[in-house]
Amino acid sequence: MRYIIIGAGAVGGAVGGRLAESGHDVVLVARGAQYEALRERGLRLVTPEGPRTHRLPTVDGPGALGELRADDVLVLAVKTQDSVAALDAWAPAPVAGGGTAAARLPLFCAQNGVESQRLALRRFRRVYGVCVWLPATFVEPGEVSAAGTPLTGILHLGRFPHGTDDTARAVAADLATSRFEAPVVADVTRWQYAKLLANLANAVEAVSGVTGGEESAALNRRVRAEGEAVLTAAGIPYASAAEQKEARADKMRLVPLDGGPERGGGSSWQSLDRGTGTIEADYLNGEIALLGRLHGVPTPLNELLQRLAGDFARERRAAGSMPVTELVRLAGDAAASANSGTDGPPCP
């Protein structure tokens, strides 16, 4: 199989680089400065074993490849806010022997949240969800770091909306040769919703920085409690903390990278730090807000974080620049307004 990594950023670059290291056929898809850097200098992947440069075929869209191969596997690794554009570009791509990518090729959504695979299923017949536990950082155009060891990541995967098949098992086997563990599960969304609950804290980190203080920890617990209440009301199951702990065990720990950058924040923090102008909060905290509205559960904290993260991205405000005390104050105001039945003051 040939792996076409659509979105060769932190996650896509780490997955593509590791697959290439173990001898698998990989094409990277990127745009802008990342595309230029990958074309000119290759992908520099920094891991606990040291940095390596992979010179892999790199394209900015399906047109550069001509007809796709019947054994191609598409891996969607863009942020969810970029999914529609990517799906629109790749769904009609012709495949050798007839038909299109949407009709014939498998698409694996290696992304946070749960929305992209729903978007994909409108276009593609064969969609697979991937629950991504992969600590990776986009360092600069052309360079990605992944600090996990002995495994680079753990990627639960399965058919969407449910089930397994031989394609999922074949991809999992290739990932297993590439420093990943990839359990094939029939209920992949159960793992993804569990990851979604953890990702609700991404916006706290993005706007108020990487901190281990009790104030931010307490706020994270309240934000997660909202999410759990919403999933319960919606009847959506999610993997328990005990299941997740057992799945991870000590298989993946973070280590300092010799000669490499220190890991900053998570994916949302990185979006603000890079000044991309967009952030995935609409599909993390916004997913909880959506489900809350559908099922009559108030979600003032997640709505606040969704709005703040969006404002930070649009205004290109510095990651972590709001003091956590200010964020906690705004959260208290939002919760009080929800309890009183008012909309409350606008966010700054």
Side-chain angles (χ1 to χ4, degrees):
M1 297 184 293
R2 179 175 68 169
Y3 290 89
I4 299 178
I5 311 295
I6 305 169
V11 169
V15 171
R18 283 303 205 188
L19 283 168
E21 284 175 11
S22 58
H24 299 291
D25 198 357
V26 174
V27 175
L28 302 179
V29 182
R31 59 185 181 178
Q34 179 72 340
Y35 169 74
E36 297 297 337
L38 293 172
R39 293 272 290 187
E40 293 173 9
R41 303 188 297 275
L43 171 67
R44 187 173 192 264
L45 179 61
V46 182
T47 68
E49 300 84 58
R52 290 162 311 287
T53 298
H54 303 286
R55 296 199 171 272
L56 302 172
T58 302
V59 300
D60 59 0
L65 294 175
E67 283 190 326
L68 302 182
R69 295 176 0 189
D71 65 348
D72 281 340
V73 174
L74 306 181
V75 179
L76 187 65
V78 300
K79 296 289 178 64
T80 302
Q81 60 267 28
D82 298 319
S83 289
V84 169
L87 292 167
D88 285 348
W90 286 87
V95 178
T100 64
R104 295 187 56 194
L105 299 184
L107 176 78
F108 285 75
C109 296
Q111 301 161 284
N112 284 334
V114 296
E115 181 63 18
S116 272
Q117 54 210 18
R118 295 195 292 233
L119 295 170
L121 202 60
R122 294 176 185 272
R123 299 163 172 82
F124 283 77
R125 290 180 181 171
R126 299 165 60 197
V127 175
Y128 299 75
V130 183
C131 179
V132 180
W133 281 328
L134 171 52
T137 301
F138 182 97
V139 180
E140 63 181 15
E143 182 172 341
V144 169
S145 67
T149 191
L151 292 177
T152 298
I154 301 174
L155 309 173
H156 286 74
L157 55 90
R159 286 292 295 261
F160 178 78
H162 52 75
T164 64
D165 62 15
D166 288 342
T167 298
R169 287 183 282 272
V171 169
D174 285 352
L175 289 168
T177 68
S178 308
R179 291 185 177 265
F180 293 99
E181 185 170 293
V184 178
V185 293
D187 55 351
V188 67
T189 57
R190 201 169 64 88
W191 293 90
Q192 290 175 307
Y193 276 106
K195 175 77 183 307
L196 172 66
L197 289 174
N199 285 149
L200 298 179
N202 286 17
V204 175
E205 179 187 73
V207 302
S208 289
V210 182
T211 174
E214 178 53 34
E215 281 187 307
S216 60
L219 177 58
N220 286 340
R221 288 193 292 270
R222 293 168 62 197
V223 171
R224 181 187 175 96
E226 274 189 4
E228 291 176 342
V230 163
L231 295 186
T232 297
I236 296 173
Y238 56 91
S240 68
E243 285 179 280
Q244 294 178 78
K245 182 177 180 181
E246 182 180 357
R248 288 193 294 267
D250 59 353
K251 302 171 186 175
M252 184 177 62
R253 63 184 184 277
L254 302 185
V255 299
L257 298 175
D258 292 338
E262 289 189 17
R263 176 170 163 79
S267 57
S268 296
W269 185 93
Q270 290 180 48
S271 291
L272 293 185
D273 188 57
R274 291 166 53 202
T276 62
T278 65
I279 198 166
E280 59 191 340
D282 283 347
Y283 303 99
L284 301 177
N285 308 93
E287 180 71 22
I288 296 303
L290 168 63
L291 289 172
R293 292 164 190 153
L294 289 173
H295 297 279
V297 179
T299 59
L301 302 184
N302 280 279
E303 291 178 30
L304 170 72
L305 290 171
Q306 179 186 3
R307 292 196 300 268
L308 279 176
D311 289 345
F312 265 59
R314 284 186 294 273
E315 298 165 10
R316 288 178 166 77
R317 295 167 66 179
S321 58
M322 175 178 283
V324 68
T325 52
E326 174 65 6
L327 179 58
V328 170
R329 183 190 69 77
L330 290 172
D333 290 347
S337 296
N339 290 334
S340 67
T342 64
D343 291 335
C347 294

